[in-house]
Amino acid sequence: MTTEAQTQKHAVVIGAGPAGLMAAEMLSDAGMSVTVCDHKPSVGRKFLMAGKSGLNLTKVEPHDRFMNAFTDAKDPLMPIISAFDGDAVQAWATGLGQEVFTGSTGRVFPTVMKASPLLRAWLVRLSEAGVQINTRWCWTGWDGSKLVFETPEGTQMVQPDVTVLAMGGASWARLGSTGEWAKVLAGDTPFTPFAPANAGIAMDWSPHMAAHFGKALKGIALKSGTYRSRGEAMISRDGFEGGGVYTVSRGLREGHPLMLDLLPDQSAEALAAKLDQPRGKMSMANFMRKALKLDPVKIAVFQEMARPLPQDSKALAKLLKALPVKHGGLRPMDQAISTAGGVKFDAVDDALMLRNRPGVFVAGEMLDWEAPTGGYLISACLATGRWAGQHAAAWAQKG
């Protein structure tokens, strides 16, 4: 007589971030024996780092607008995210005992504003479901149909019925996303090279800017190519950081100039009229502060970028509305919030299974998509992990 243990299918998930853990949960829910393998000593490291700034889980906005954030990958991601949208992400979090709230911009956060309670609750649920997690297991490829891992106990080989790859992109390598997996897949899997996404902008500041390090440039608009944002930019020793900057960083990566509007709620004509007032003996900086109500940070950045300042009020107003930012390009990829590039959607079928490796599915940032910060990144990782896990289970159970 065949026992349940003998007939139960076995799945291996490689990568223990949100995409991998979600895939593991779906496989377990389908009745499979599941092992999660990760090369770091603990799981969800980048997820926990994201939680230090509040853990933006998703965003409440019309679905079409939400999907537009994924630009080139909108079409392949549409059915995947539609099946696990922002409402579903919120229900998932509350199902783990974590209340959420929606901020004024539509961004959704856990009420506790950190990731660790949610991750702990999730790991407990996975453990109770029988999911096994192996840490310090580094995947190095295949030996025939077997997965090969380097572990503290030496080389281990595993032959699962189905595999889900969810090893992230290539930013923040110290947290686990090294991108080394690309070398394993190279040659037989169509792949877009990695590039920084949601990256800061490098600046070589003059000494007078040191007084403003750590301060925010607020109430501004940024533009680079077709990418635009409203918000703020943090001034650091190395350059500009922050959500407003990350949203337009793709434009810089594509080679477009960066333009800064210091007063987006006022027209150039209105500014020119204010600048036409008599200046008297005031310095230009003091005059702009009083006439335009520019704060010291905006004045400092304006002078940094626009010196020598034009004397004509119309020319000055034009610069305030479209200030070319002299910069040193994007910060290094490993310092970016996320990466563009990865396994092309042409390389996987509609179930996210690799066309050239039946039984191997791909999820999360390993796939070639990018989106700005603001709830899109984690939401898409969870959705692709869920989709890959569900379809992997269905594929295995047909075999």
Side-chain angles (χ1 to χ4, degrees), residues 123-139:
L123 292 175
V124 167
R125 187 160 77 186
L126 290 170
S127 177
E128 290 174 346
V131 174
Q132 178 182 338
I133 297 179
N134 295 337
T135 55
R136 294 189 173 92
W137 274 50
C138 181
W139 180 61

Side-chain angles (χ1 to χ4, degrees), residues 18 29 45 61 89 93 96 104 116 134 159 181 191 202 247 272 287 292 308 340 354 382 384:
D29 286 351
R45 290 190 165 202
E61 64 182 356
V89 171
L96 285 167
S104 58
S116 51
N134 295 337
Q159 187 161 16
W181 55 263
F191 177 84
T247 300
F287 177 60
L292 306 178
L354 287 173
L382 292 169
T384 55

Side-chain angles (χ1 to χ4, degrees), residues 175-223:
L175 300 177
S177 297
T178 64
E180 288 294 306
W181 55 263
K183 297 175 184 176
V184 179
L185 299 182
D188 62 358
T189 301
F191 177 84
T192 302
F194 290 121
N198 293 299
I201 298 169
M203 303 291 296
D204 184 16
W205 300 114
S206 62
H208 91 278
M209 286 298 297
H212 302 286
F213 293 164
K215 295 179 181 177
L217 193 60
K218 297 182 178 181
I220 59 169
L222 300 104
K223 174 186 174 184

Side-chain angles (χ1 to χ4, degrees), residues 71 137 312:
T71 56
W137 274 50
D312 178 73

Side-chain angles (χ1 to χ4, degrees), residues 39 75 140 240 243 251 278 378 392:
H39 70 123
D75 289 344
T140 59
F240 282 126
I378 291 178

Side-chain angles (χ1 to χ4, degrees), residues 35-48:
T35 303
V36 178
C37 300
D38 195 281
H39 70 123
K40 300 302 284 186
S42 58
V43 307
R45 290 190 165 202
K46 194 172 180 183
F47 187 67
L48 290 172

